Amino acid sequence: MKSKFMMAALTGTALVATSALAEDVTLTVESWRNDDLTLWQDKIIPAFEAANPGIKVKFTPSAPTEYNAVLNSKLDAGSAGDLITCRPFDASLALYEAGHLAALDDMDAMSNFSDVAKSAWQTDDGSASFCVPMASVIHGFIYNKEAFEELGLEVPTTEDEFFAALETIKEDGNYIPMAMGTNDQWEAATMGYNNIGPNYWKGEEGRRALIAGEQKLTDEQWVAPYATLAKWADYLGDGYEAQTYPDSQNLFTLGRAAIYPAGSWEISGFNAQADFEMGAFKAPVKSAGDTCYISDHTDIGIGMNASTEHPEAAKAFLAWVASPEFADIFGNALPGFFPLSNAPVELEDPLAKEFVSWRGECESTIRSTYQILSRGTPNLENETWGASVAAIKGTETPEALGEKLQSGLATWYEPQQ
């Protein structure tokens, strides 16, 4: 009888242990953001686990340049994590269409995001969403406040004021007016054309019209930004043609340039490197009183592996990512990466607060080339890099650039034919 009792007790203990283990789910997160490892380990994961006992999270990033290939290999092998960090638009859409990302439209938490925020992780017709939006980056200009005070400059709000300020800086001679080179090409398009352009094509109105074939790249609103970029050349300093992206960052943070055409992703690095006070201003409008538009570009989301063995736990995590608690943690731990949920976030970094305040003043849009229009050959995003450089260097007229881009797009994109 005693041995039977002991056996029953041991069996009961085993059942309890098995039950406890069954309740303790571990979710693995795939990501390219290896720079965020400490943030996840020290802040995001502890906050989630404290609110969700029984669910553990492991953050397992890959190198950014290797992420797509590594992730696809894992998905094909059935070894990918439960949660997948999503790049915007086509790369994630391809994962959804291949059956690797689950549709998330049944989650109430998706109502916490605007249509613009969700557009980077939806099917073309918007009928299915497959990643929870996490953060965007905002384009504008960062400036050296000490240089502006020294030269008696006010923050420009119109294009005339902008170029007048550049001329004053140039005439003074103590600073390069604007730190941007054309060697790496992408900056000319990202911090140039798609920074100032939304004020010309009216943000989402123009971007959606281009996708629909209702506007063309030869229209004035798409050509005019190249003419404005051509005027930048006089203010970029000697040798800008060979200047790399890191060169431009160094020129600004060392105090040698007064203005830096920027994305908000620079904030953390500039805070660490610059020993002067910085401010930010949005792309100047053509005339005082004009509606302003900002590139508030969807940058990072997170979705659920359609093959996860823990869909309920994964959805619990995704719902938490859509919460005000996550937005507060993420927005303050990574200043310059702005949460996309509708929940208000009290940011602490003054430069980040300046960038995000423009959401209340201007209409938000995303980069014009990122959705649908860069799927074919020639790739419109890459072609816009070259066109922006050519505009600044003055090697082609704005009108010729518009014709070239339109002709290329029309070779493969039916609505533009």
Side-chain angles (χ1 to χ4, degrees):
M1 180 65 72
K2 185 176 180 180
S3 64
K4 287 183 178 180
F5 176 81
M6 288 296 294
M7 183 62 70
L10 289 170
T11 302
T13 302
L15 286 172
V16 170
T18 302
S19 176
L21 288 171
E23 292 172 5
D24 197 24
V25 171
T26 297
L27 300 175
T28 302
V29 181
E30 304 282 358
S31 178
W32 72 89
R33 293 282 309 170
N34 49 13
D35 287 348
D36 298 349
L37 181 60
T38 300
L39 163 63
W40 278 77
Q41 291 178 338
D42 293 353
K43 295 187 177 181
I44 293 176
I45 292 173
F48 172 76
E49 290 181 351
N52 295 270
I55 305 177
K56 303 296 182 183
V57 178
K58 289 174 61 179
F59 183 68
T60 58
S62 307
T65 56
E66 299 170 6
Y67 178 66
N68 288 13
V70 169
L71 177 62
N72 281 312
S73 295
K74 286 183 176 181
L75 288 166
D76 290 341
S79 60
D82 307 275
L83 297 158
I84 295 171
T85 307
C86 303
R87 285 182 157 138
F89 298 106
D90 288 355
S92 294
L93 178 60
L95 294 179
Y96 173 73
E97 291 178 336
H100 294 313
L101 286 172
L104 303 176
D105 303 275
D106 61 339
M107 289 181 55
D108 292 340
M110 294 302 287
S111 64
N112 294 349
F113 303 94
S114 70
D115 290 342
V116 172
K118 290 187 286 190
S119 65
W121 300 286
Q122 287 183 324
T123 51
D124 291 350
D125 61 5
S127 63
S129 298
F130 41 81
C131 298
V132 174
M134 287 175 67
S136 70
V137 289
I138 297 176
H139 298 184
F141 297 82
I142 298 176
Y143 69 98
N144 182 330
K145 279 192 171 183
E146 293 177 13
F148 268 51
E149 289 170 7
E150 181 184 324
L151 298 173
L153 295 173
E154 298 290 330
V155 171
T157 59
T158 67
E159 286 191 359
D160 285 347
E161 293 171 355
F162 178 65
F163 283 105
L166 290 172
E167 190 63 31
T168 297
I169 299 165
K170 182 179 179 181
E171 289 177 357
D172 173 74
N174 285 318
Y175 301 94
I176 298 166
M178 220 164 28
M180 193 184 81
T182 57
N183 184 76
D184 296 345
Q185 295 205 341
W186 69 269
E187 309 98 308
T190 304
M191 284 98 90
Y193 188 74
N194 266 300
N195 190 349
I196 65 172
N199 281 331
Y200 290 81
W201 58 73
K202 298 184 179 179
E204 286 294 278
E205 178 183 319
R207 188 184 75 84
R208 292 183 180 277
L210 197 63
I211 291 172
E214 296 162 359
Q215 293 184 15
K216 296 186 180 298
L217 291 165
T218 49
D219 292 345
E220 172 65 17
Q221 64 268 34
W222 295 95
V223 171
Y226 290 118
T228 301
L229 284 185
K231 296 166 65 176
W232 285 22
D234 290 340
Y235 305 106
L236 299 181
D238 295 337
Y240 74 83
E241 300 91 341
Q243 188 172 305
T244 66
Y245 175 52
D247 291 337
S248 301
Q249 291 174 307
N250 289 336
L251 283 171
F252 182 73
T253 56
L254 289 171
R256 293 174 56 192
I259 298 172
Y260 182 92
S264 59
W265 60 85
E266 306 282 10
I267 292 175
S268 293
F270 281 11
N271 282 344
Q273 294 160 3
D275 61 1
F276 51 86
E277 189 178 359
M278 294 174 286
F281 60 87
K282 54 188 176 290
V285 294
K286 190 71 176 175
S287 303
D290 286 354
T291 300
C292 56
Y293 298 85
I294 57 168
S295 180
D296 187 358
H297 189 71
T298 43
D299 189 63
I300 182 170
I302 187 165
M304 182 173 77
N305 184 343
S307 299
T308 179
E309 295 179 359
H310 311 294
E312 295 307 315
K315 284 189 174 182
F317 184 83
L318 294 176
W320 184 77
V321 168
S323 73
E325 183 182 10
F326 174 84
D328 184 70
I329 293 170
F330 198 83
N332 281 302
L334 282 177
F337 288 84
F338 302 108
L340 284 163
S341 72
N342 297 329
V345 177
E346 188 61 41
L347 298 177
E348 298 164 3
D349 183 89
L351 205 50
K353 288 171 73 171
E354 180 62 36
F355 270 93
V356 84
S357 72
W358 304 337
R359 285 179 174 172
E361 303 167 13
C362 308
E363 299 293 327
S364 289
T365 185
I366 57 177
R367 296 174 198 158
S368 62
T369 56
Y370 267 58
Q371 186 178 29
I372 300 174
L373 299 178
S374 292
R375 291 178 184 169
T377 302
N379 178 299
L380 184 59
E381 167 68 6
N382 292 345
E383 292 294 295
T384 302
W385 295 7
S388 301
V389 170
I392 293 170
K393 290 182 176 180
T395 55
E396 291 187 72
T397 67
E399 292 74 19
L401 292 170
E403 291 283 357
K404 180 180 178 181
L405 292 170
Q406 179 62 33
S407 297
L409 183 60
T411 61
W412 65 268
Y413 188 54
E414 188 173 345
Q416 287 291 346
Q417 292 169 355

